[in-house]
């Protein structure tokens, strides 16, 4: 709740009614001077360029969690004027009752949400739109169709209170319009990061707070440093929303872990076990992705481990129904997990979260990449011999060609707005095909694969030339193929410059900066290869400066991880 705004709203109302405030403003009171009680702001404050808070109710806890009383469990109370005349205009529209209603309400003219939208009123009279970079602004390429209204009774009282605040509702809108669009391979009306997540958030306090934290963090990273007040406010909101979500998640995770019954007792009554588990898993996935906004955060590992625990518990709980919501969440966890394991060397989860009949876009590619990563980790730990002797170059090509065919078949039903957009997506598919092959050759040390490596390398760069890394619909899909291309880039051509420029454009477009560390790794790898450094010593023992060209990036990444320099390409 914007307390200052609420206070000034009440002051404005008192001024309209002709009643002079009966108490001094808080600033004059704190300065121990007599307030002239002018409306809407006192002259003592305005003469010294101070922000007059007005004369309304002052609330002392904005981010704390009330532990008792009528507001127990709430972070923001709902304070309304005692009376409102018919001619007064209400600034905040009624609280939405469903995710679709929240989506529609957030786009209503009364909110006046430009793109990018301001989160607070204009600073110093200037348009706050100038404070936000253009990098995270893109609209969906489809006409969003609202879901059927389930009625006002379906929304939890907490969600209603939080979304009464204009800023919170705008953050909710930003998640639905911008963030959700960048969380899928191809955006569309069935995007469950929008439909499922936003509907669940209206029934789940931790998930709602997690989404608001994600949106605030995302917008904060896109806010220009010159707009310090706006950036500080968004950063504070992200932290407080996130801390509150984690506090509530601790209790929910404990309930999901120790309760084997089909119903769990909560303050709201008996809730099905799978709904609690889905809420926790969804919240952890949101927080996990939120940590990829900043380049220096490593907390995604913590959230990833927690999400794994909840998903595995749900998978192995006897009699626990695997509803469509859990299948969606498990698929998103699988995608994040596969990419995380390729560069972070975290323990690979052996549990199969995906349903056998899952034929989503890129599922076959990701299953292959997980299998290759598992073989490499087993060989590195000494549990298996080097798998290259058992996997031939031709068999790998056959597996990836089959995965490409299934991917093209699964996206045949996808509707693209223009033929050019379809061509862009086909370029993404080709990029993943050759990037996956190159990754497999390097992981498995396939013998006699140098010719196949050169062929896939050339094809990968040709495919990436066709894809715009800052395309509003596909920028999020090209970072991993671009990273693999960077591991194959040579100093003799311009490929290194191309990879670096495209990665930067993709990060600027999506608003996720986690690949900054990956770029640092690529630069280190390029220098090591150019100078002929070996992995463990400053120079190859033979003194051959060309030996560095044969450095396997997998071994370099493992060395980085052992030194605490972990990075994520996702």
């Amino acid at each position: 709740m914007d307390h200052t705004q609420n206070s000034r709203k009440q002051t404005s109302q008192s001024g309209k009614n002709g009643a002079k405030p009966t108490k001094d403003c808080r600033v004059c009171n704190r300065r121990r001077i007599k307030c002239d009680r002018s409306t809407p702001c006192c002259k003592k404050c305005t003469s010294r360029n101070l922000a007059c808070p007005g004369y309304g109710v002052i609330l002392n806890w904005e981010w704390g969690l009330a532990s008792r009383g009528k507001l127990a469990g709430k972070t923001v109370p709902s304070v309304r004027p005692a009376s409102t005349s018919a001619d007064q205009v209400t600034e905040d529209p009624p609280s939405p009752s469903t995710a679709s209603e929240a989506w529609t309400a957030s786009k209503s003219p009364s909110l006046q949400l430009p793109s990018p939208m301001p989160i607070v009123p204009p600073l110093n009279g200037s348009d706050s739109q100038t404070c936000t970079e253009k990098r995270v602004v893109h609209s969906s390429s489809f006409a969003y169709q609202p879901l059927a209204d389930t009625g006002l009774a379906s929304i939890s009282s907490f969600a209603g209170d939080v979304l009464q605040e204009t800023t919170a509702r705008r953050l909710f809108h930003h998640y639905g319009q911008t963030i959700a669009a960048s969380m899928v391979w191809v955006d569309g009306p069935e995007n469950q990061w929008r439909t499922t997540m936003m509907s669940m958030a209206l029934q789940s306090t931790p998930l709602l707070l997690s989404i608001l934290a994600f949106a605030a963090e995302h917008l904060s990273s896109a806010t220009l440093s010159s707009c310090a007040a706006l950036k500080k406010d968004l950063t504070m909101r992200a932290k407080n929303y996130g801390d509150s979500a984690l506090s509530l998640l601790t209790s929910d995770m404990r309930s999901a872990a120790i309760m084997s019954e089909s119903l769990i007792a909560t303050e709201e009554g008996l809730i099905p076990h799978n709904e609690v588990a889905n809420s926790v898993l969804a919240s952890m996935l949101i927080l996990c992705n939120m940590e990829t906004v900043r380049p220096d955060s490593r907390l995604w590992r913590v959230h990833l481990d927690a999400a794994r625990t909840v998903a595995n518990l749900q998978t192995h709980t006897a009699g626990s129904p695997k509803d469509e919501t859990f299948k969606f969440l498990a698929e998103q966890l699988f995608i994040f997990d596969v990419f995380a394991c390729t560069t972070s060397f975290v323990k690979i989860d052996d549990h199969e979260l995906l349903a056998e009949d899952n034929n989503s876009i890129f599922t076959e590619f990701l299953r292959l990449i997980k299998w290759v990563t598992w073989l490499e980790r087993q060989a590195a730990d000494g549990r298996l011999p080097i798998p290259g002797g058992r996997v031939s170059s031709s068999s790998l090509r056959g597996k990836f060609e089959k995965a490409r065919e299934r991917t093209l078949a699964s996206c045949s039903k996808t509707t693209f707005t223009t033929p050019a957009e379809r061509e862009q997506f086909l370029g993404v598919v080709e990029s993943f095909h050759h990037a996956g092959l190159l990754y497999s050759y390097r992981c498995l040390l396939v013998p006699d694969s140098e010719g196949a490596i050169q062929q896939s390398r050339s094809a990968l760069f040709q495919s990436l030339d066709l894809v715009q890394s800052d395309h509003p619909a596909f920028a999020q899909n090209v970072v991993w193929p671009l990273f693999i291309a960077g591991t194959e880039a040579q100093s003799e051509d311009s490929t290194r410059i191309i990879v670096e420029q495209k990665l930067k454009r993709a990060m600027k477009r999506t608003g996720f900066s986690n690949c900054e560390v990956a770029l640092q790794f690529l630069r280190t790898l390029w220098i090591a290869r150019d100078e002929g450094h070996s992995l463990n010593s400053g120079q190859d023992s033979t003194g051959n400066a060309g030996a560095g060209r044969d450095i396997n990036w997998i071994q370099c990444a493992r060395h980085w991880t052992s030194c605490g320099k972990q990075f994520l390409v996702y």
Side-chain angles (χ1 to χ4, degrees):
M1 174 181 297
D2 189 336
H3 300 157
T4 302
Q5 193 175 33
N6 180 71
S7 179
R8 287 178 177 170
K9 192 190 302 182
Q10 295 183 15
T11 301
S12 178
Q13 292 168 5
S14 64
K16 288 180 180 180
N17 296 331
K20 191 172 183 178
T22 58
K23 293 184 179 181
D24 295 349
C25 80
R26 193 63 177 266
V27 173
C28 289
N29 189 25
R30 187 168 57 247
R31 294 174 62 202
R32 297 183 180 180
I33 62 175
K34 186 175 181 179
C35 180
D36 58 27
R37 300 180 186 176
S38 301
T39 58
C41 301
C42 78
K43 296 178 180 179
K44 295 289 182 68
C45 289
T46 55
S47 63
R48 291 183 174 272
N49 294 324
L50 298 175
C52 181
Y55 313 97
V57 178
I58 300 296
L59 301 175
N60 293 323
W61 52 278
E62 180 176 3
W63 299 109
L65 210 70
S67 59
R68 58 178 65 88
K70 295 181 179 180
L71 300 176
K74 299 180 182 180
T75 55
V76 183
S78 179
V79 177
R80 298 180 182 179
S83 63
T84 304
S85 59
D87 61 341
Q88 290 173 351
V89 179
T90 302
E91 181 181 337
D92 295 347
S95 177
S97 59
T98 63
S100 58
E101 189 176 334
W103 179 258
T104 305
S106 65
K107 295 163 69 175
S108 64
S110 62
L111 288 182
Q112 299 179 352
L113 297 178
S115 183
M117 61 192 171
I119 294 304
V120 295
L123 302 173
N124 299 326
S126 61
D127 187 1
S128 61
Q129 179 173 345
T130 60
C131 293
T132 309
E133 292 186 76
K134 296 286 186 180
R135 61 178 178 178
V136 297
V137 182
H138 56 272
S139 58
S140 305
S141 58
F142 65 94
Y144 180 77
Q145 299 295 328
L147 301 173
D149 185 11
T150 58
L152 187 61
S154 65
I155 190 170
S156 67
S157 60
F158 182 90
D161 289 340
V162 172
L163 294 179
Q164 284 285 346
E165 185 198 12
T166 303
T167 301
R169 204 160 55 253
R170 286 173 171 174
L171 290 172
F172 201 60
H173 167 83
H174 176 72
Y175 168 83
Q177 177 173 310
T178 301
I179 297 179
S182 64
M183 301 296 289
V184 290
W185 299 107
V186 181
D187 195 14
E190 302 300 323
N191 181 351
Q192 289 186 275
W193 282 99
R194 180 179 298 115
T195 58
T196 300
M197 287 290 200
M198 295 180 76
S199 295
M200 289 175 62
L202 298 181
Q203 306 298 329
S204 168
T205 300
L207 180 55
L208 176 60
L209 292 172
S210 300
I211 285 177
L212 295 179
F214 192 1
E217 185 76 11
H218 193 252
L219 275 172
S220 175
S221 69
T223 302
L224 297 174
S225 57
S226 58
C227 300
L230 175 60
K231 196 176 189 72
K232 181 179 179 180
D233 176 71
L234 289 169
T235 302
M236 182 188 69
R237 286 178 177 272
K239 181 181 186 304
N240 289 319
Y241 281 136
D243 289 348
S244 298
L246 287 172
S247 177
L248 296 174
L249 278 171
T250 303
S251 175
D252 284 354
M253 288 187 67
R254 188 179 299 111
S255 299
I258 66 177
M259 296 295 289
S260 58
E261 293 82 0
S262 59
L263 295 177
I264 295 179
T266 65
E267 294 181 359
E268 289 78 14
L270 293 177
I271 297 179
H273 177 277
N274 64 315
E275 289 188 13
V276 175
N278 287 345
S279 170
V280 173
L281 181 55
S283 302
M284 300 315 301
L285 283 173
I286 290 290
L287 293 174
C288 201
N289 282 275
M290 182 186 77
E291 297 301 334
T292 65
V293 174
R294 302 289 181 182
D296 54 348
S297 176
R298 299 181 185 179
L299 290 178
W300 61 265
R301 277 286 303 272
V302 178
H303 302 318
L304 176 61
D305 291 340
R308 283 175 169 180
T309 301
V310 174
N312 291 335
L313 177 69
Q314 181 77 340
T315 302
H316 295 92
T317 299
S320 177
K322 308 303 181 292
D323 54 20
E324 293 302 317
T325 298
F326 176 77
K327 291 179 181 179
F328 158 70
L329 296 173
E331 180 182 349
Q332 302 311 308
L333 174 59
F334 171 79
I335 294 172
F336 194 103
D337 200 22
V338 169
F339 284 123
C341 288
T342 58
T343 57
S344 64
F345 300 91
V346 297
K347 181 181 178 182
I348 297 179
D349 196 345
D350 295 333
H351 300 97
E352 183 56 58
L353 295 175
L354 291 183
E356 294 182 0
D357 58 347
N358 187 304
N359 59 353
S360 301
I361 299 176
F362 288 106
T363 296
E364 292 302 316
F365 275 129
L366 295 176
R367 279 178 168 148
L368 268 178
I369 292 171
K370 180 179 179 180
W371 171 69
V372 169
T373 305
W374 181 84
L375 287 177
E376 196 278 336
R377 300 299 186 271
Q378 293 292 311
D381 294 340
R383 301 177 184 177
L384 286 177
I386 297 177
R390 297 185 292 116
V391 181
S392 65
S393 175
S394 59
S395 65
L396 271 178
R397 284 199 305 271
K399 291 179 183 294
F400 275 93
E401 286 172 2
K402 187 176 181 180
R404 177 172 56 183
E405 292 174 1
R406 291 188 177 182
T407 300
L408 293 175
S410 63
C411 70
S412 61
K413 301 178 182 179
T414 304
T415 302
F416 297 94
T417 56
T418 62
E421 191 173 274
R422 181 178 180 82
E423 290 298 319
Q424 286 284 310
F425 185 74
L426 293 178
V428 173
V429 175
E430 287 298 309
S431 300
F432 261 92
H433 174 75
H434 295 290
L437 276 172
L438 288 168
Y439 174 74
S440 302
Y441 292 142
R442 299 304 187 187
C443 275
L444 306 182
L445 302 177
V446 179
D448 302 325
S449 60
E450 190 58 37
I453 289 175
Q454 293 301 324
Q455 182 179 358
S456 289
R457 178 184 178 276
S458 299
L460 174 59
F461 280 103
Q462 290 176 4
S463 300
L464 290 174
D465 284 340
L466 302 176
V467 180
Q468 299 177 18
S469 61
D470 58 349
H471 193 284
F474 305 119
Q476 68 275 12
N477 299 336
V478 298
V479 289
W480 194 79
L482 279 172
F483 172 77
I484 297 299
T487 64
E488 301 292 333
Q490 305 295 332
S491 61
E492 291 82 2
D493 50 29
S494 60
T495 52
R496 293 180 179 178
I497 298 175
I498 293 173
V499 167
E500 186 163 354
Q501 290 177 344
K502 282 181 172 287
L503 269 176
K504 288 181 177 179
R505 285 199 292 266
M507 286 188 288
K508 187 174 183 179
R509 167 58 66 176
T510 61
F512 295 88
S513 303
N514 57 291
C515 288
E516 286 285 356
V517 185
L519 267 177
Q520 295 176 16
F521 169 79
L522 287 176
R523 296 186 190 110
T524 302
L525 178 68
W526 296 338
I527 292 173
R529 286 176 173 171
D530 291 345
E531 297 182 356
H533 292 174
S534 64
L535 180 63
N536 298 318
S537 61
Q539 190 171 1
D540 185 67
S541 58
T542 62
N544 182 8
R549 297 178 182 273
D550 298 326
I551 292 178
N552 189 320
W553 77 265
I554 303 290
Q555 303 304 320
C556 279
R558 180 176 280 109
H559 182 66
W560 259 51
T561 301
S562 66
C563 297
K565 301 177 182 179
Q566 194 172 83
F567 62 96
L568 172 70
V569 180
Y570 171 68

